[in-house]
Amino acid sequence: FRKTILCFFILLTFNSCKPDKAEPEFLLRTALLVNEEHTWYKAFVYFSQILEERSKGRIKVEVYPSEQLAKEIEAIRLIQADVIDMTTTGSTLTNWFEVATFCELPFLMQDSTDMNRYINGPIGKLMEEEMINKSGLRSLGHFERGPRHLTSNRPIRHPDDLDGLIVRVPNVPSFVTLWKALGAKPTPMAFSEVFTSLQQGTIEAQENPFALINNAGFAEVQKYLNLTGHVISWVYPVIGEKQFQRLPPDLQKIFLLAANDMQAYEHHLFLENEKEVQNQLKAKGMEFIEVDKDAFQQRCEEAIYNSLSPEMKKIYDQLKVE
Ligand code: 2Q2
């Protein structure tokens, strides 16, 4: 048994325990937080297929869903330690560099037009540089997400209704600032712990886009889908920079082109899925609640702005006037 464990760790660390001909030259392990039904998972499976084909079997990608391999923060650390290779991440990177906060800053972006302007503008460039320099990750494009909404077991129409509601948030400082300012009790927690915590009542609410709410089965433990739309965001599929640099130039080229195709593939699935997934949530018994969005925005805007460093305030001001 000990030998098996040892072998497993050696496998993780050195890619192969006893090399044989069937082994790919590069095995890339991917930790995802979503399950097999989500567009990110499907996109990575597609990526793995086209990469294997185009590299003639030299690159192989393994995709692990539902945080089985690692929770988001751990996945980042394991990539940095060169133990695994890829994941999806975004504003969680605020824990490494501050500008990542703009991936998911509450009430900043209005729609996907704003989003694409940010991603393709100076802020997106800066983010990708910081990602490499401060967190050792290379962006492979971006996946657009639907707006985040609050789910709960009592309807929330106005911030006054929150009244100490225990809301799970990802490990991202701006989310804590937001829900505190609104009068809730934000509790940072890894995504894979949310379902059970809702079931057991250690948290009372959570917030995510329709697709992820549906994907994680939250309709089983949450009755109301309060249409707060407080965050519009994207995530980056990423690979460790060290791992990327290890690929020879011909494979790097194949890799980056395949990553572009993965992004296009995911975007198509995302657009298709956004329409469908709301019906599914309603069919599962969730009640959609209209909220006073202005009241939400007004109550938290100042707190969010004040939580930014002077440098980030400058960027924020610029983004607002553009
Ligand atoms: O709720 C979650 O954990 C995700 O939807 C997060 O928003 C996502 O992982 C980002 O925090 C990306 O870093």
Side-chain angles (χ1 to χ4, degrees):
F1 178 68
R2 276 176 117 182
K3 260 194 186 158
T4 320
I5 294 273
L6 189 68
C7 192
F8 177 71
F9 278 107
I10 293 172
L11 249 161
L12 276 179
T13 320
F14 298 108
N15 281 355
S16 95
C17 210
K18 35 179 171 129
D20 66 52
K21 278 186 223 121
E23 286 291 308
E25 235 173 289
F26 298 96
L27 179 57
L28 303 174
R29 292 185 181 78
T30 309
L32 297 185
L33 69 81
V34 298
N35 75 21
E36 293 96 325
E37 303 300 320
H38 196 279
T39 55
W40 302 350
Y41 181 86
K42 291 177 184 167
F44 265 96
V45 167
Y46 173 75
F47 188 40
S48 112
Q49 284 164 355
I50 57 177
L51 266 179
E52 212 169 320
E53 251 170 57
R54 296 179 193 175
S55 72
K56 310 216 166 17
R58 293 170 70 194
I59 303 179
K60 188 173 187 267
V61 175
E62 282 176 1
V63 194
Y64 296 86
S66 309
E67 297 198 328
Q68 277 165 16
L69 194 56
K71 294 164 183 163
E72 187 178 351
I73 288 233
E74 291 164 7
I76 296 168
R77 297 209 175 103
L78 287 174
I79 295 172
Q80 291 166 338
D82 209 357
V83 176
I84 67 169
D85 309 286
M86 296 193 282
T87 192
T88 51
T89 188
S91 63
T92 296
L93 291 170
T94 315
N95 296 295
W96 281 268
F97 59 93
E98 203 184 351
V99 73
T101 194
F102 290 105
C103 292
E104 237 167 11
L105 205 66
F107 297 108
L108 176 67
M109 292 179 265
Q110 298 297 319
D111 50 29
S112 58
T113 313
D114 274 352
M115 200 189 82
N116 283 306
R117 196 158 48 84
Y118 293 176
I119 293 175
N120 300 317
I123 183 88
K125 298 246 150 47
L126 181 60
M127 242 181 243
E128 290 181 21
E129 280 165 26
E130 295 269 277
M131 223 184 284
I132 291 191
N133 297 334
K134 305 267 171 68
S135 67
L137 301 176
R138 168 175 291 255
S139 154
L140 297 176
H142 66 272
F143 297 156
E144 175 177 342
R145 310 180 73 179
R148 294 177 82 99
H149 301 295
L150 179 75
T151 66
S152 58
N153 283 322
R154 59 171 197 256
I156 306 292
R157 300 188 166 84
H158 188 277
D160 289 347
D161 301 333
L162 288 167
D163 189 26
L165 188 77
I166 305 171
V167 182
R168 176 272 173 179
V169 293
N171 288 294
V172 180
S174 65
F175 282 68
V176 174
T177 308
L178 167 74
W179 292 102
K180 259 192 199 151
L182 290 171
K185 283 209 181 80
T187 309
M189 182 186 284
F191 186 73
S192 50
E193 287 162 17
V194 178
F195 185 92
T196 313
S197 304
L198 284 169
Q199 202 171 34
Q200 293 172 345
T202 47
I203 54 170
E204 299 172 296
Q206 70 81 44
E207 46 78 54
N208 254 304
F210 291 131
L212 201 50
I213 295 172
N214 193 46
N215 189 245
F218 292 155
E220 283 174 46
V221 282
Q222 298 272 269
K223 172 75 185 157
Y224 298 100
L225 210 161
N226 313 284
L227 301 166
T228 45
H230 51 284
V231 166
I232 291 186
S233 66
W234 69 89
V235 296
Y236 292 102
V238 295
I239 183 169
E241 178 63 3
K242 252 184 280 181
Q243 290 87 327
F244 177 75
Q245 291 305 340
R246 203 176 289 140
L247 299 173
D250 61 322
L251 288 185
Q252 283 188 352
K253 208 169 142 202
I254 288 173
F255 188 83
L256 293 178
L257 281 173
N260 274 346
D261 293 343
M262 162 170 70
Q263 177 182 313
Y265 181 84
E266 197 281 338
H267 193 61
H268 175 76
L269 289 183
F270 162 76
L271 292 175
E272 250 178 15
N273 191 50
E274 274 296 282
K275 297 178 212 148
E276 178 52 31
V277 80
Q278 297 185 46
N279 297 331
Q280 289 181 16
L281 286 167
K282 283 178 188 159
K284 288 175 186 169
M286 288 201 92
E287 200 176 310
F288 285 40
I289 304 290
E290 291 297 334
V291 309
D292 183 346
K293 270 187 92 164
D294 289 343
F296 275 86
Q297 177 157 8
Q298 276 159 23
R299 194 161 304 180
C300 64
E301 225 163 20
E302 205 180 299
I304 288 167
Y305 187 74
N306 289 337
S307 73
L308 300 172
S309 71
E311 217 179 307
M312 296 302 123
K313 280 187 178 127
K314 264 191 225 151
I315 296 179
Y316 183 94
D317 295 341
Q318 242 163 13
L319 289 172
K320 278 283 181 186
V321 294
E322 264 170 21

